[in-house]
């Protein structure tokens, strides 16, 4: 015997409404999953949807996910992303032969090394595919110390694989947590 299905009415506002940018972003993600290309977001939608409390009052817009805004190659030939709305930039580099990742902490100009004091004394590199994490310890440049460095390095067997890595670089600088997503892209050579 089948039981009749009953539907209880739901209140019209059981929780606060999502910001308009969040709804727009969710709708675009839904479209992208249907085999259709996702439409380009309207200008400013990323900032409106983020609501992340980062200071965005500077000369150019910084996105918070890989692909939101293009950075050129870093000064060490690596992939750049920003931390804290552009307060810092971090550059991911990898030496496949040495199975080593090196991350540089840079200033607003995306070039100048900026020594930082990390709460745990290391950065955390999280790679999405294949999934693994590496603790990066200070490898100070000339004039820096292990307590305040701009270069951090670590090794993992999975870094030996030649591929475009994507992930997150995170750390806590003087009590403020920072995280930046990055994604390497194949370079085309003429």
């Amino acid at each position: 015997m089948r039981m009749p299905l009953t539907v209880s009415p739901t209140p019209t506002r059981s929780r606060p409404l999502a910001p308009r940018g969040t709804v727009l972003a969710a709708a675009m993600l839904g479209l992208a999953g249907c085999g259709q290309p996702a439409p380009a977001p309207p200008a400013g939608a990323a900032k409106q949807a983020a609501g992340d409390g980062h200071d965005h009052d500077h000369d150019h817009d910084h996105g918070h996910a890989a692909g939101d805004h293009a950075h050129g190659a870093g000064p060490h030939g690596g992939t750049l992303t920003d931390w804290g709305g552009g307060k810092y930039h971090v550059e991911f580099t990898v030496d496949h032969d040495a199975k080593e990742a090196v991350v540089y902490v840079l200033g607003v100009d995306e070039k100048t090394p900026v020594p930082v004091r990390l709460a745990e004394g290391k950065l955390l590199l999280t790679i999405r595919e294949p999934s693994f994490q590496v603790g990066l310890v200070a490898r100070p440049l000339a004039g820096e110390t292990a307590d305040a460095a701009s270069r951090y390095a670590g090794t993992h067997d999975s870094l030996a694989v030649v591929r475009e890595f994507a992930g997150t670089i995170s750390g806590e600088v003087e009590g403020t947590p920072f995280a930046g997503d990055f994604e390497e892209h194949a370079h085309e050579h003429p």
Side-chain angles (χ1 to χ4, degrees), residues 88 105 112-117 143-145 148-152 173-174:
Y88 300 106
V105 180
T112 307
V114 177
V116 293
R117 293 185 188 279
E144 298 177 350
T145 67
S150 64
R151 178 174 60 183
Y152 293 83
V173 179
E174 297 177 4

Side-chain angles (χ1 to χ4, degrees), residues 77-79 92-94 96 163-167 182-187:
T79 301
F92 169 80
T93 66
V94 62
H96 300 290
R163 64 178 313 145
E164 283 75 44
F165 288 104
F182 70 92
E183 186 173 330
E184 288 187 298
H185 296 283
H187 299 287

Side-chain angles (χ1 to χ4, degrees), residues 44-189:
K47 279 202 273 186
Q48 184 180 23
D52 56 10
H54 291 309
D55 176 18
H56 291 281
D57 289 332
H58 50 274
D59 294 341
H60 58 282
D61 180 29
H62 280 279
H64 296 285
D68 280 353
H69 123 244
H71 291 277
H76 305 95
T79 301
L80 285 168
T81 189
D82 71 34
W83 267 5
K87 179 175 182 176
Y88 300 106
H89 287 83
V90 287
E91 178 184 11
F92 169 80
T93 66
V94 62
D95 179 338
H96 300 290
D97 293 334
K99 303 177 188 177
E100 180 179 58
V102 177
V103 170
Y104 297 87
V105 180
L106 307 169
V108 173
D109 66 358
E110 302 178 3
K111 297 175 188 169
T112 307
V114 177
V116 293
R117 293 185 188 279
L118 299 173
E120 299 294 321
K122 64 182 176 181
L123 295 175
L124 181 62
L125 172 64
T126 304
I127 300 295
R128 288 193 290 270
E129 182 61 40
S131 180
F132 64 94
Q133 291 185 320
V134 182
L136 307 175
V137 296
R139 187 180 293 161
L141 296 173
E144 298 177 350
T145 67
D147 291 335
S150 64
R151 178 174 60 183
Y152 293 83
T155 61
H156 193 281
D157 286 342
S158 293
L159 292 169
V161 177
V162 177
R163 64 178 313 145
E164 283 75 44
F165 288 104
T168 302
I169 302 165
S170 58
E172 186 176 316
V173 179
E174 297 177 4
T176 302
F178 291 95
D181 292 337
F182 70 92
E183 186 173 330
E184 288 187 298
H185 296 283
H187 299 287
E188 294 182 23
H189 299 283

Side-chain angles (χ1 to χ4, degrees), residues 8-15:
S8 301
T10 54
T12 56
R13 288 193 75 186
S14 60
R15 61 176 191 225

